[in-house]
Amino acid sequence: MYTSTDEQGLLNNFATEPKMYRAEYPSPEQQKRYIAYGAASMVLVALTIFTAVAIS
């Protein structure tokens, strides 16, 4: 941890910064998985809304 002192004698602590890295583009397999998760989520939301409308 990096610590500095200002003119009034107050301490100021700075957190250590993590290393930066570039994100990698998702592979075709990951892209297909994301599409499947999105479709499953849309079906779940649609069924929840349909159930709420049907009950009320």
Short mmCIF file of all heavy atoms in Angstrom, two decimals:
data_model
loop_
_atom_site.label_atom_id
_atom_site.label_comp_id
_atom_site.label_asym_id
_atom_site.label_seq_id
_atom_site.Cartn_x
_atom_site.Cartn_y
_atom_site.Cartn_z
N MET A 1 0.85 -1.16 0.00
CA MET A 1 0.00 0.00 0.00
C MET A 1 0.90 1.23 0.00
O MET A 1 1.88 1.31 0.71
CB MET A 1 -0.92 -0.02 1.23
CG MET A 1 -1.90 1.10 1.22
SD MET A 1 -3.08 1.04 2.58
CE MET A 1 -4.04 -0.36 2.13
N TYR A 2 0.53 2.19 -0.83
CA TYR A 2 1.31 3.42 -0.95
C TYR A 2 0.74 4.47 0.00
O TYR A 2 -0.46 4.71 0.02
CB TYR A 2 1.26 3.90 -2.39
CG TYR A 2 1.91 5.24 -2.61
CD1 TYR A 2 3.29 5.38 -2.52
CD2 TYR A 2 1.16 6.36 -2.89
CE1 TYR A 2 3.90 6.60 -2.71
CE2 TYR A 2 1.76 7.59 -3.10
CZ TYR A 2 3.12 7.70 -3.00
OH TYR A 2 3.72 8.91 -3.19
N THR A 3 1.58 5.09 0.81
CA THR A 3 1.14 6.11 1.76
C THR A 3 1.92 7.39 1.50
O THR A 3 3.13 7.36 1.29
CB THR A 3 1.40 5.64 3.21
OG1 THR A 3 0.73 4.41 3.40
CG2 THR A 3 0.89 6.64 4.20
N SER A 4 1.19 8.50 1.50
CA SER A 4 1.85 9.80 1.35
C SER A 4 1.40 10.71 2.49
O SER A 4 0.39 10.48 3.14
CB SER A 4 1.52 10.44 0.00
OG SER A 4 0.15 10.78 -0.05
N THR A 5 2.16 11.76 2.72
CA THR A 5 1.85 12.73 3.77
C THR A 5 1.73 14.11 3.13
O THR A 5 2.58 14.51 2.33
CB THR A 5 2.98 12.75 4.82
OG1 THR A 5 3.20 11.43 5.27
CG2 THR A 5 2.61 13.63 6.00
N ASP A 6 0.65 14.84 3.45
CA ASP A 6 0.49 16.18 2.89
C ASP A 6 1.14 17.23 3.78
O ASP A 6 1.83 16.90 4.74
CB ASP A 6 -0.99 16.50 2.64
CG ASP A 6 -1.81 16.59 3.91
OD1 ASP A 6 -1.24 16.44 5.00
OD2 ASP A 6 -3.03 16.83 3.81
N GLU A 7 0.93 18.51 3.47
CA GLU A 7 1.59 19.61 4.19
C GLU A 7 1.20 19.69 5.66
O GLU A 7 1.96 20.15 6.50
CB GLU A 7 1.25 20.96 3.53
CG GLU A 7 1.60 21.09 2.07
CD GLU A 7 0.49 20.53 1.18
OE1 GLU A 7 -0.69 20.57 1.56
OE2 GLU A 7 0.82 20.01 0.11
N GLN A 8 -0.01 19.23 5.98
CA GLN A 8 -0.50 19.31 7.36
C GLN A 8 -0.13 18.07 8.18
O GLN A 8 -0.49 17.96 9.33
CB GLN A 8 -2.01 19.49 7.36
CG GLN A 8 -2.46 20.76 6.68
CD GLN A 8 -3.97 20.83 6.56
OE1 GLN A 8 -4.66 19.86 6.83
NE2 GLN A 8 -4.48 21.98 6.14
N GLY A 9 0.55 17.14 7.57
CA GLY A 9 0.96 15.94 8.27
C GLY A 9 -0.06 14.82 8.24
O GLY A 9 0.08 13.82 8.92
N LEU A 10 -1.13 14.99 7.44
CA LEU A 10 -2.16 13.95 7.33
C LEU A 10 -1.69 12.86 6.38
O LEU A 10 -1.09 13.13 5.34
CB LEU A 10 -3.47 14.56 6.83
CG LEU A 10 -4.10 15.62 7.73
CD1 LEU A 10 -5.31 16.22 7.04
CD2 LEU A 10 -4.49 15.02 9.06
N LEU A 11 -1.98 11.62 6.76
CA LEU A 11 -1.61 10.48 5.92
C LEU A 11 -2.69 10.22 4.89
O LEU A 11 -3.88 10.39 5.14
CB LEU A 11 -1.41 9.23 6.77
CG LEU A 11 -0.24 9.24 7.75
CD1 LEU A 11 -0.23 7.96 8.56
CD2 LEU A 11 1.06 9.41 7.01
N ASN A 12 -2.28 9.82 3.71
CA ASN A 12 -3.20 9.47 2.64
C ASN A 12 -2.77 8.11 2.10
O ASN A 12 -1.67 7.97 1.58
CB ASN A 12 -3.17 10.54 1.55
CG ASN A 12 -4.38 10.47 0.66
OD1 ASN A 12 -5.19 9.56 0.80
ND2 ASN A 12 -4.47 11.40 -0.27
N ASN A 13 -3.63 7.11 2.23
CA ASN A 13 -3.32 5.75 1.78
C ASN A 13 -3.93 5.50 0.41
O ASN A 13 -5.07 5.86 0.15
CB ASN A 13 -3.86 4.72 2.77
CG ASN A 13 -3.16 4.80 4.09
OD1 ASN A 13 -1.99 5.12 4.15
ND2 ASN A 13 -3.87 4.51 5.16
N PHE A 14 -3.18 4.87 -0.44
CA PHE A 14 -3.64 4.52 -1.77
C PHE A 14 -3.57 3.01 -1.94
O PHE A 14 -2.58 2.38 -1.59
CB PHE A 14 -2.77 5.18 -2.85
CG PHE A 14 -2.80 6.68 -2.80
CD1 PHE A 14 -1.80 7.39 -2.16
CD2 PHE A 14 -3.83 7.38 -3.39
CE1 PHE A 14 -1.82 8.77 -2.12
CE2 PHE A 14 -3.87 8.76 -3.36
CZ PHE A 14 -2.86 9.46 -2.72
N ALA A 15 -4.63 2.44 -2.50
CA ALA A 15 -4.64 1.00 -2.76
C ALA A 15 -3.72 0.68 -3.93
O ALA A 15 -3.50 1.50 -4.81
CB ALA A 15 -6.06 0.54 -3.07
N THR A 16 -3.21 -0.54 -3.95
CA THR A 16 -2.39 -0.97 -5.08
C THR A 16 -3.33 -1.26 -6.25
O THR A 16 -4.38 -1.87 -6.08
CB THR A 16 -1.57 -2.22 -4.74
OG1 THR A 16 -2.46 -3.24 -4.29
CG2 THR A 16 -0.57 -1.92 -3.66
N GLU A 17 -2.95 -0.83 -7.42
CA GLU A 17 -3.78 -1.02 -8.60
C GLU A 17 -3.52 -2.39 -9.22
O GLU A 17 -2.37 -2.81 -9.34
CB GLU A 17 -3.51 0.07 -9.62
CG GLU A 17 -3.90 1.45 -9.13
CD GLU A 17 -3.69 2.51 -10.20
OE1 GLU A 17 -3.41 2.14 -11.36
OE2 GLU A 17 -3.79 3.69 -9.86
N PRO A 18 -4.58 -3.09 -9.65
CA PRO A 18 -4.38 -4.39 -10.29
C PRO A 18 -3.79 -4.22 -11.69
O PRO A 18 -3.89 -3.15 -12.29
CB PRO A 18 -5.79 -4.98 -10.36
CG PRO A 18 -6.69 -3.81 -10.33
CD PRO A 18 -5.99 -2.75 -9.52
N LYS A 19 -3.18 -5.28 -12.19
CA LYS A 19 -2.63 -5.23 -13.54
C LYS A 19 -3.77 -5.14 -14.56
O LYS A 19 -4.82 -5.75 -14.39
CB LYS A 19 -1.82 -6.49 -13.83
CG LYS A 19 -0.51 -6.54 -13.10
CD LYS A 19 0.32 -7.72 -13.55
CE LYS A 19 1.66 -7.71 -12.87
NZ LYS A 19 2.51 -8.81 -13.36
N MET A 20 -3.54 -4.36 -15.60
CA MET A 20 -4.54 -4.20 -16.65
C MET A 20 -4.34 -5.30 -17.69
O MET A 20 -3.22 -5.73 -17.96
CB MET A 20 -4.37 -2.84 -17.33
CG MET A 20 -4.57 -1.67 -16.41
SD MET A 20 -6.28 -1.35 -16.03
CE MET A 20 -6.87 -0.78 -17.60
N TYR A 21 -5.45 -5.77 -18.25
CA TYR A 21 -5.39 -6.75 -19.33
C TYR A 21 -6.55 -6.51 -20.28
O TYR A 21 -7.57 -5.96 -19.90
CB TYR A 21 -5.41 -8.18 -18.79
CG TYR A 21 -6.67 -8.54 -18.06
CD1 TYR A 21 -7.75 -9.13 -18.74
CD2 TYR A 21 -6.82 -8.28 -16.72
CE1 TYR A 21 -8.91 -9.44 -18.08
CE2 TYR A 21 -7.98 -8.60 -16.04
CZ TYR A 21 -9.02 -9.19 -16.73
OH TYR A 21 -10.18 -9.49 -16.08
N ARG A 22 -6.38 -6.90 -21.51
CA ARG A 22 -7.42 -6.73 -22.51
C ARG A 22 -8.36 -7.94 -22.46
O ARG A 22 -7.92 -9.07 -22.31
CB ARG A 22 -6.83 -6.62 -23.91
CG ARG A 22 -6.08 -5.32 -24.11
CD ARG A 22 -5.82 -5.15 -25.61
NE ARG A 22 -5.30 -3.85 -25.89
CZ ARG A 22 -6.05 -2.80 -26.20
NH1 ARG A 22 -7.34 -2.92 -26.27
NH2 ARG A 22 -5.49 -1.64 -26.46
N ALA A 23 -9.63 -7.66 -22.60
CA ALA A 23 -10.61 -8.74 -22.66
C ALA A 23 -10.50 -9.45 -24.00
O ALA A 23 -10.20 -8.84 -25.02
CB ALA A 23 -12.01 -8.19 -22.47
N GLU A 24 -10.74 -10.73 -23.98
CA GLU A 24 -10.69 -11.51 -25.21
C GLU A 24 -12.10 -11.66 -25.76
O GLU A 24 -13.06 -11.78 -25.02
CB GLU A 24 -10.08 -12.89 -24.95
CG GLU A 24 -8.64 -12.83 -24.50
CD GLU A 24 -8.07 -14.21 -24.22
OE1 GLU A 24 -8.76 -15.21 -24.52
OE2 GLU A 24 -6.96 -14.29 -23.70
N TYR A 25 -12.22 -11.63 -27.09
CA TYR A 25 -13.51 -11.81 -27.73
C TYR A 25 -13.99 -13.24 -27.46
O TYR A 25 -13.20 -14.18 -27.52
CB TYR A 25 -13.37 -11.55 -29.23
CG TYR A 25 -14.68 -11.36 -29.93
CD1 TYR A 25 -15.37 -10.16 -29.81
CD2 TYR A 25 -15.25 -12.36 -30.70
CE1 TYR A 25 -16.57 -9.96 -30.44
CE2 TYR A 25 -16.46 -12.18 -31.33
CZ TYR A 25 -17.12 -10.97 -31.20
OH TYR A 25 -18.32 -10.79 -31.81
N PRO A 26 -15.29 -13.42 -27.15
CA PRO A 26 -15.76 -14.77 -26.83
C PRO A 26 -15.66 -15.71 -28.04
O PRO A 26 -15.88 -15.29 -29.18
CB PRO A 26 -17.22 -14.56 -26.43
CG PRO A 26 -17.59 -13.20 -26.86
CD PRO A 26 -16.34 -12.42 -27.03
N SER A 27 -15.36 -16.95 -27.75
CA SER A 27 -15.25 -17.95 -28.81
C SER A 27 -16.64 -18.26 -29.36
O SER A 27 -17.65 -17.95 -28.73
CB SER A 27 -14.61 -19.22 -28.24
OG SER A 27 -15.50 -19.83 -27.32
N PRO A 28 -16.72 -18.90 -30.51
CA PRO A 28 -18.03 -19.26 -31.06
C PRO A 28 -18.86 -20.14 -30.11
O PRO A 28 -20.08 -20.00 -30.06
CB PRO A 28 -17.70 -20.01 -32.34
CG PRO A 28 -16.37 -19.45 -32.76
CD PRO A 28 -15.65 -19.17 -31.47
N GLU A 29 -18.20 -21.00 -29.37
CA GLU A 29 -18.93 -21.84 -28.40
C GLU A 29 -19.54 -20.98 -27.29
O GLU A 29 -20.68 -21.19 -26.88
CB GLU A 29 -17.98 -22.87 -27.79
CG GLU A 29 -17.44 -23.86 -28.81
CD GLU A 29 -16.21 -24.58 -28.31
OE1 GLU A 29 -15.71 -24.23 -27.22
OE2 GLU A 29 -15.73 -25.48 -29.01
N GLN A 30 -18.78 -20.01 -26.80
CA GLN A 30 -19.30 -19.12 -25.78
C GLN A 30 -20.44 -18.27 -26.32
O GLN A 30 -21.43 -18.03 -25.62
CB GLN A 30 -18.19 -18.21 -25.24
CG GLN A 30 -17.17 -18.92 -24.39
CD GLN A 30 -16.02 -18.01 -23.99
OE1 GLN A 30 -15.63 -17.13 -24.76
NE2 GLN A 30 -15.52 -18.19 -22.79
N GLN A 31 -20.32 -17.82 -27.56
CA GLN A 31 -21.38 -17.03 -28.17
C GLN A 31 -22.68 -17.83 -28.26
O GLN A 31 -23.76 -17.32 -27.98
CB GLN A 31 -20.96 -16.55 -29.56
CG GLN A 31 -19.85 -15.53 -29.54
CD GLN A 31 -19.39 -15.15 -30.92
OE1 GLN A 31 -19.97 -15.58 -31.92
NE2 GLN A 31 -18.34 -14.34 -31.00
N LYS A 32 -22.57 -19.10 -28.64
CA LYS A 32 -23.76 -19.96 -28.70
C LYS A 32 -24.37 -20.14 -27.32
O LYS A 32 -25.59 -20.16 -27.16
CB LYS A 32 -23.40 -21.31 -29.31
CG LYS A 32 -23.08 -21.25 -30.79
CD LYS A 32 -22.67 -22.60 -31.32
CE LYS A 32 -22.24 -22.50 -32.78
NZ LYS A 32 -21.74 -23.77 -33.30
N ARG A 33 -23.52 -20.29 -26.31
CA ARG A 33 -24.01 -20.44 -24.94
C ARG A 33 -24.73 -19.17 -24.48
O ARG A 33 -25.78 -19.25 -23.85
CB ARG A 33 -22.84 -20.76 -24.01
CG ARG A 33 -23.28 -21.26 -22.65
CD ARG A 33 -22.13 -21.70 -21.76
NE ARG A 33 -21.04 -22.35 -22.47
CZ ARG A 33 -19.76 -22.07 -22.29
NH1 ARG A 33 -19.39 -21.15 -21.43
NH2 ARG A 33 -18.83 -22.70 -22.96
N TYR A 34 -24.18 -18.00 -24.83
CA TYR A 34 -24.83 -16.73 -24.47
C TYR A 34 -26.19 -16.62 -25.14
O TYR A 34 -27.16 -16.15 -24.53
CB TYR A 34 -23.96 -15.55 -24.87
CG TYR A 34 -22.66 -15.42 -24.12
CD1 TYR A 34 -21.56 -14.79 -24.69
CD2 TYR A 34 -22.51 -15.93 -22.84
CE1 TYR A 34 -20.37 -14.66 -24.00
CE2 TYR A 34 -21.32 -15.82 -22.15
CZ TYR A 34 -20.25 -15.18 -22.74
OH TYR A 34 -19.07 -15.06 -22.06
N ILE A 35 -26.30 -17.05 -26.39
CA ILE A 35 -27.58 -17.01 -27.10
C ILE A 35 -28.57 -17.94 -26.42
O ILE A 35 -29.74 -17.59 -26.22
CB ILE A 35 -27.38 -17.37 -28.58
CG1 ILE A 35 -26.61 -16.26 -29.29
CG2 ILE A 35 -28.72 -17.61 -29.26
CD1 ILE A 35 -26.17 -16.61 -30.70
N ALA A 36 -28.12 -19.13 -26.03
CA ALA A 36 -29.01 -20.09 -25.35
C ALA A 36 -29.46 -19.54 -24.00
O ALA A 36 -30.65 -19.65 -23.65
CB ALA A 36 -28.29 -21.43 -25.16
N TYR A 37 -28.56 -18.92 -23.25
CA TYR A 37 -28.95 -18.32 -21.96
C TYR A 37 -29.96 -17.20 -22.17
O TYR A 37 -30.91 -17.05 -21.41
CB TYR A 37 -27.73 -17.78 -21.22
CG TYR A 37 -26.81 -18.83 -20.63
CD1 TYR A 37 -25.49 -18.53 -20.34
CD2 TYR A 37 -27.26 -20.11 -20.36
CE1 TYR A 37 -24.64 -19.48 -19.79
CE2 TYR A 37 -26.42 -21.06 -19.82
CZ TYR A 37 -25.11 -20.74 -19.53
OH TYR A 37 -24.28 -21.68 -18.99
N GLY A 38 -29.75 -16.38 -23.19
CA GLY A 38 -30.67 -15.29 -23.48
C GLY A 38 -32.05 -15.81 -23.85
O GLY A 38 -33.07 -15.28 -23.40
N ALA A 39 -32.09 -16.85 -24.68
CA ALA A 39 -33.38 -17.43 -25.08
C ALA A 39 -34.09 -18.05 -23.88
O ALA A 39 -35.30 -17.86 -23.71
CB ALA A 39 -33.16 -18.49 -26.17
N ALA A 40 -33.36 -18.77 -23.04
CA ALA A 40 -33.96 -19.37 -21.85
C ALA A 40 -34.48 -18.29 -20.90
O ALA A 40 -35.56 -18.43 -20.32
CB ALA A 40 -32.95 -20.27 -21.14
N SER A 41 -33.77 -17.20 -20.78
CA SER A 41 -34.20 -16.10 -19.92
C SER A 41 -35.47 -15.46 -20.46
O SER A 41 -36.39 -15.14 -19.69
CB SER A 41 -33.11 -15.03 -19.81
OG SER A 41 -31.94 -15.59 -19.25
N MET A 42 -35.54 -15.27 -21.78
CA MET A 42 -36.74 -14.69 -22.37
C MET A 42 -37.95 -15.60 -22.17
O MET A 42 -39.05 -15.12 -21.87
CB MET A 42 -36.51 -14.41 -23.85
CG MET A 42 -35.58 -13.24 -24.08
SD MET A 42 -35.12 -12.83 -25.77
CE MET A 42 -36.41 -13.42 -26.78
N VAL A 43 -37.77 -16.90 -22.30
CA VAL A 43 -38.87 -17.84 -22.07
C VAL A 43 -39.31 -17.79 -20.61
O VAL A 43 -40.52 -17.77 -20.32
CB VAL A 43 -38.45 -19.27 -22.48
CG1 VAL A 43 -39.45 -20.30 -22.00
CG2 VAL A 43 -38.27 -19.36 -23.98
N LEU A 44 -38.37 -17.75 -19.69
CA LEU A 44 -38.71 -17.69 -18.27
C LEU A 44 -39.49 -16.42 -17.95
O LEU A 44 -40.51 -16.47 -17.24
CB LEU A 44 -37.44 -17.77 -17.42
CG LEU A 44 -37.63 -17.70 -15.91
CD1 LEU A 44 -38.43 -18.91 -15.43
CD2 LEU A 44 -36.31 -17.60 -15.21
N VAL A 45 -39.06 -15.29 -18.46
CA VAL A 45 -39.76 -14.02 -18.21
C VAL A 45 -41.15 -14.07 -18.84
O VAL A 45 -42.14 -13.65 -18.23
CB VAL A 45 -38.93 -12.83 -18.74
CG1 VAL A 45 -39.75 -11.55 -18.74
CG2 VAL A 45 -37.67 -12.66 -17.91
N ALA A 46 -41.26 -14.58 -20.07
CA ALA A 46 -42.56 -14.67 -20.73
C ALA A 46 -43.52 -15.57 -19.95
O ALA A 46 -44.70 -15.23 -19.78
CB ALA A 46 -42.39 -15.17 -22.16
N LEU A 47 -43.03 -16.70 -19.47
CA LEU A 47 -43.88 -17.59 -18.67
C LEU A 47 -44.30 -16.95 -17.36
O LEU A 47 -45.45 -17.12 -16.91
CB LEU A 47 -43.16 -18.92 -18.40
CG LEU A 47 -43.04 -19.86 -19.60
CD1 LEU A 47 -42.19 -21.07 -19.24
CD2 LEU A 47 -44.41 -20.30 -20.06
N THR A 48 -43.41 -16.20 -16.74
CA THR A 48 -43.74 -15.52 -15.50
C THR A 48 -44.83 -14.47 -15.74
O THR A 48 -45.80 -14.38 -14.97
CB THR A 48 -42.49 -14.85 -14.90
OG1 THR A 48 -41.48 -15.85 -14.71
CG2 THR A 48 -42.81 -14.16 -13.58
N ILE A 49 -44.69 -13.69 -16.80
CA ILE A 49 -45.71 -12.68 -17.12
C ILE A 49 -47.03 -13.35 -17.48
O ILE A 49 -48.10 -12.93 -17.04
CB ILE A 49 -45.20 -11.77 -18.26
CG1 ILE A 49 -44.04 -10.92 -17.77
CG2 ILE A 49 -46.34 -10.90 -18.80
CD1 ILE A 49 -43.35 -10.12 -18.85
N PHE A 50 -46.99 -14.42 -18.27
CA PHE A 50 -48.20 -15.14 -18.63
C PHE A 50 -48.90 -15.70 -17.41
O PHE A 50 -50.12 -15.60 -17.27
CB PHE A 50 -47.87 -16.28 -19.62
CG PHE A 50 -49.05 -17.13 -19.96
CD1 PHE A 50 -50.03 -16.67 -20.80
CD2 PHE A 50 -49.17 -18.40 -19.41
CE1 PHE A 50 -51.14 -17.45 -21.13
CE2 PHE A 50 -50.27 -19.20 -19.72
CZ PHE A 50 -51.25 -18.71 -20.58
N THR A 51 -48.14 -16.25 -16.48
CA THR A 51 -48.72 -16.79 -15.25
C THR A 51 -49.34 -15.68 -14.42
O THR A 51 -50.45 -15.84 -13.89
CB THR A 51 -47.62 -17.51 -14.41
OG1 THR A 51 -47.03 -18.53 -15.21
CG2 THR A 51 -48.21 -18.09 -13.15
N ALA A 52 -48.70 -14.54 -14.31
CA ALA A 52 -49.25 -13.43 -13.55
C ALA A 52 -50.55 -12.92 -14.16
O ALA A 52 -51.50 -12.61 -13.44
CB ALA A 52 -48.23 -12.30 -13.47
N VAL A 53 -50.59 -12.84 -15.49
CA VAL A 53 -51.80 -12.38 -16.17
C VAL A 53 -52.92 -13.42 -16.02
O VAL A 53 -54.08 -13.07 -15.80
CB VAL A 53 -51.50 -12.07 -17.65
CG1 VAL A 53 -52.78 -11.85 -18.44
CG2 VAL A 53 -50.58 -10.88 -17.76
N ALA A 54 -52.58 -14.69 -16.13
CA ALA A 54 -53.58 -15.76 -16.04
C ALA A 54 -54.19 -15.84 -14.63
O ALA A 54 -55.37 -16.11 -14.48
CB ALA A 54 -52.96 -17.09 -16.42
N ILE A 55 -53.40 -15.59 -13.62
CA ILE A 55 -53.89 -15.69 -12.24
C ILE A 55 -54.77 -14.49 -11.90
O ILE A 55 -55.77 -14.63 -11.21
CB ILE A 55 -52.71 -15.80 -11.25
CG1 ILE A 55 -52.05 -17.16 -11.41
CG2 ILE A 55 -53.18 -15.60 -9.82
CD1 ILE A 55 -50.80 -17.33 -10.59
N SER A 56 -54.41 -13.32 -12.39
CA SER A 56 -55.19 -12.13 -12.02
C SER A 56 -56.45 -11.95 -12.82
O SER A 56 -56.87 -12.67 -13.61
CB SER A 56 -54.34 -10.88 -12.19
OG SER A 56 -53.99 -10.71 -13.54
#
